[in-house]
Amino acid sequence: MSGTGVIVCKAAVAYAAGQPLVVEDIQVEPPRAGEVRVKLVACALCHTDAYTLSGSDPEGLFPSILGHEGGGIVESVGEGVTSVVPGDHVIPLYTPECKDCMFCKSPKTNLCVKIRSTQGKGLMPDETTRYKNMKGEPLFHFMGCSCFSQYIVCAEISVAKINPKADLSIACLLGCGVTTGIGAALNTAGVEQGSSCAVFGLGAVGLAVIYGCKMAGAKKIFAVDINPAKFEIAKKFGATDCINPKDYPDKPIQQVITGLSESGFGIDYTFEAIGRVETMRSALECAHRGWGKSVIIGVAGSGQEISTRPFQLVTGRQWLGTAFGGYKSRSSVPQLVDQYMEGKIPLEDFVTDRMKLEDINKAFEKLHEGSCLRCVIDM
Ligand code: APR
Ligand code: ZN
């Protein structure tokens, strides 16, 4: 069933870096071959949206429609689409899964390359856009998702079909931050029963890492943040010890944490969920001598570089990174939604704020307040 006709709907358009979004009517073209058009129900804000909007992202494109943590219902499908039909509930995916490229066929990675180049250019795989404003000016796609719109067009390989009974305004969180955090612990680090973990940064991503470590049966989970207001919720998600680096002005935090470790040689698994190269180094250097693994999750500012003494790696520490928690997206997101439905992932606890699309600029302000984990926009 091919989509018919242009849909006029509300969207929040990013016209220029550093400017507020403009909530206005836009035109959404029908899906072409291999594409689906989705009626969005809800979308959460993530720091990557704010980063691109700020203009700090050198690859940011304007005008565009940002947003990549959404949930919706398939409205129509283009020619040749077989994996979803209108009415299916889906989560858009910025990491697609074509199941055909060399990366998808490898069990070692989740980084599908099928539509990577056009996605990076803000375009659909045929190098065109499906969005226009009412003046007829084209608008770029963002991360293959563009969830700040009531209707979106994605590649078929960029949507995961999920249990229709799941509340899309909560399940949407599995489109980015929570999945990334849980997967960093379970897939990338491979946290084991009885192990010790340290998580730097207690935003939604870091808290999801803590929860993932708990799911894996970690015995000790150190939660590290310069904002002690985060410690209560970190404990709720499973942290056993909370550390504020500001309480140790005379000592590098990696030394403090190594000193607190059971063996005195460091922590089995450490994670950086802030996006600062200094804390990435700290996380590596408090990983356990001989076998510690340290996972970079946070996205550092453009052009920044990490450093440490090679001796840190020679003595057995491993420095790893993760994107989307290592999950193969279309295969795994439906399972994570089912786990949420079974009460195994407390997604509701990440939703601290809710707003209407008209108020999306206020939601960006909220995101910068320490108390906000995720703000969900009801479309
Ligand atoms: N040491 C310890 N904690 C810090 C430091 C520091 N030097 N600087 C900031 N933090 C804490 C903040 O107080 C905050 O609680 O890190 C946390 C970061 O949380 P959020 O800003 O809410 O970020 P989150 O949404 O969890 O994303 C974290 O992952 O996906 C990426 O781009 C995203 O880089 C970001 C990271
Ligand atoms: Zn692929």
Side-chain angles (χ1 to χ4, degrees):
M1 193 195 302
S2 283
T4 48
V6 169
I7 289 178
V8 173
C9 68
K10 289 260 181 292
V13 181
Y15 275 101
Q19 298 295 310
L21 301 180
V22 177
V23 179
E24 63 180 8
D25 279 340
I26 64 154
Q27 309 177 59
V28 181
E29 281 180 18
R32 297 188 189 170
E35 301 175 1
V36 300
R37 187 160 61 182
V38 178
K39 181 181 198 299
L40 264 239
V41 170
C43 175
L45 272 67
C46 167
H47 286 88
T48 309
D49 302 311
Y51 175 65
T52 301
L53 182 59
S54 74
S56 308
D57 175 3
E59 277 156 30
L61 295 163
F62 300 94
S64 62
I65 300 171
L66 302 174
H68 62 283
E69 216 175 281
I73 301 167
V74 175
E75 176 268 338
S76 59
V77 303
E79 207 187 302
V81 169
T82 54
S83 62
V84 289
V85 296
D88 281 347
H89 288 213
V90 294
I91 290 185
L93 306 164
Y94 62 87
T95 304
E97 184 187 353
C98 74
K99 305 188 182 183
D100 188 46
C101 72
M102 66 183 280
F103 294 85
C104 281
K105 283 183 173 156
S106 165
K108 295 177 182 172
T109 182
N110 63 333
L111 296 176
C112 174
V113 294
K114 185 85 173 193
I115 60 173
R116 214 199 90 90
S117 63
T118 47
Q119 181 168 317
K121 290 187 217 155
L123 299 170
M124 293 303 287
D126 72 349
E127 310 249 357
T128 62
T129 166
R130 300 293 159 270
Y131 307 121
K132 278 190 222 132
N133 66 12
M134 297 313 281
K135 289 190 220 150
E137 292 161 348
L139 308 170
F140 284 113
H141 294 246
F142 176 67
M143 292 177 82
C145 294
S146 290
C147 292
F148 297 158
S149 173
Q150 290 174 329
Y151 284 85
I152 66 172
V153 177
C154 300
E156 176 185 16
I157 62 168
S158 304
V159 297
K161 177 177 163 179
I162 63 159
N163 183 339
K165 294 201 191 96
D167 180 347
L168 285 165
S169 80
I170 306 263
C172 64
L173 299 198
L174 291 169
C176 179
V178 175
T179 300
T180 299
I182 291 178
L186 299 183
N187 305 326
T188 312
V191 172
E192 294 152 315
Q193 183 96 27
S195 56
S196 59
C197 302
V199 182
F200 288 69
L202 305 177
V205 177
L207 293 171
V209 176
I210 290 180
Y211 193 74
C213 294
K214 183 177 144 176
M215 284 168 100
K219 190 168 87 182
K220 273 268 187 200
I221 305 174
F222 292 91
V224 187
D225 203 294
I226 49 172
N227 178 3
K230 300 275 182 165
F231 293 160
E232 197 185 315
I233 183 139
K235 286 196 171 146
K236 199 168 153 197
F237 278 101
T240 57
D241 301 79
C242 296
I243 300 173
N244 183 353
K246 288 190 170 163
D247 292 343
Y248 304 91
D250 311 325
K251 227 180 180 184
I253 192 63
Q254 51 268 49
Q255 270 181 36
V256 174
I257 295 172
T258 302
L260 291 169
S261 67
E262 205 179 1
S263 66
F265 285 103
I267 306 292
D268 298 326
Y269 301 99
T270 70
F271 303 85
E272 206 277 357
I274 305 166
R276 296 177 71 254
V277 292
E278 298 82 4
T279 37
M280 291 173 186
R281 177 174 193 156
S282 302
L284 175 82
E285 295 183 356
C286 67
H288 205 286
R289 188 185 175 98
W291 61 70
K293 291 186 179 176
S294 186
V295 183
I296 294 178
I297 311 166
V299 179
S302 156
Q304 300 200 321
E305 296 184 355
I306 49 170
S307 61
T308 189
R309 297 214 177 117
F311 185 72
Q312 295 286 342
L313 305 185
V314 170
T315 46
R317 293 171 194 84
Q318 294 179 50
W319 217 345
L320 310 170
T322 193
F324 204 55
Y327 281 112
K328 288 197 186 272
S329 59
R330 274 204 293 166
S331 307
S332 304
V333 168
Q335 295 171 10
L336 289 163
V337 170
D338 289 340
Q339 284 182 275
Y340 152 61
M341 298 290 284
E342 290 159 14
K344 292 179 187 156
I345 302 176
L347 280 187
E348 286 91 351
D349 294 347
F350 290 94
V351 181
T352 49
D353 303 271
R354 282 190 173 275
M355 286 189 195
K356 293 253 151 243
L357 182 60
E358 297 87 88
D359 297 321
I360 191 159
N361 289 304
K362 280 190 218 149
F364 273 98
E365 287 167 28
K366 267 268 159 207
L367 197 62
H368 298 300
E369 289 173 17
S371 63
C372 177
L373 293 177
R374 279 296 186 261
C375 178
V376 174
I377 305 287
D378 293 302
M379 306 302 293

